[in-house]
Each structure stands twice: as C-alpha cells, then as structure tokens.
Amino acid sequence: MSELREPMELEFYPFLSDQSREAVDQFLEKLDPRFRTFAHKRYFECKTIPQIAEEMGYSERNLFKFRKRILMCWYFQSQKVS
C-alpha cells in the first residue's frame, strides 16, 4: 500500500462548503473518541504530532498509528461512496 496522504477535506476543513464540512463531521462522529480528539487537534487546530502527544498523553508512535487508522477509514468510506 502506498503512503496515505491527508485528504483535502481534512487539511482544508475551514475552507470547505457547508455540505462538505457536514460530510467530514459525520465521518468524525463515527470514529472512536480518541481518534476524533486526535483528528480535531491535528486537522482543525493544526497541531503537530509532538504537541498532540504531549496533550493527550500518548507516544508519537501511537499517534502515527491513530493517523493511519483515520486515513484508512476515510479512504475506505470514500471507496464505498464512489
């Protein structure tokens, strides 16, 4: 599997249309609360992995796993919609 990249919808959330933001919000609602918190800090607050690790009390390694899991779920959902 090639490297997972952040979807444009997550990276540019503040600039999305209301409809697109609603779709992202619905996706995030389905995530485990830990992943949702990580995603909010990473994509909406634009914090770095080290900053989030310190705030959440997880290792950076674990947060990279969180990120991968979120992105895999995002791409899986995108494939189902297409």
Side-chain angles (χ1 to χ4, degrees):
M1 177 180 229
S2 63
E3 181 182 337
L4 294 173
R5 294 179 177 251
E6 261 78 16
M8 184 178 70
E9 293 87 349
L10 294 177
E11 283 192 301
F12 299 109
Y13 179 85
F15 306 104
L16 297 175
S17 67
D18 290 341
Q19 183 179 8
S20 294
R21 276 198 306 264
E22 187 176 324
V24 171
D25 292 342
Q26 288 175 1
F27 166 76
L28 293 175
E29 262 312 299
K30 296 176 187 174
L31 294 176
D32 178 284
R34 298 170 301 155
F35 297 154
R36 189 176 323 123
T37 299
F38 167 79
H40 188 272
K41 290 178 180 295
R42 179 74 174 148
Y43 302 115
F44 305 154
E45 297 177 23
C46 301
K47 294 187 177 182
T48 64
I49 298 287
Q51 289 172 324
I52 300 168
E54 186 174 322
E55 288 180 18
M56 291 183 70
Y58 288 99
S59 70
E60 290 179 32
R61 181 182 179 123
N62 277 341
L63 293 183
F64 278 106
K65 290 178 183 178
F66 280 20
R67 177 189 169 272
K68 183 176 182 180
R69 184 82 174 261
I70 291 166
L71 296 180
M72 288 177 69
C73 289
W74 178 268
Y75 287 112
F76 178 74
Q77 175 185 292
S78 296
Q79 292 299 316
K80 286 176 34 178
V81 172
S82 299

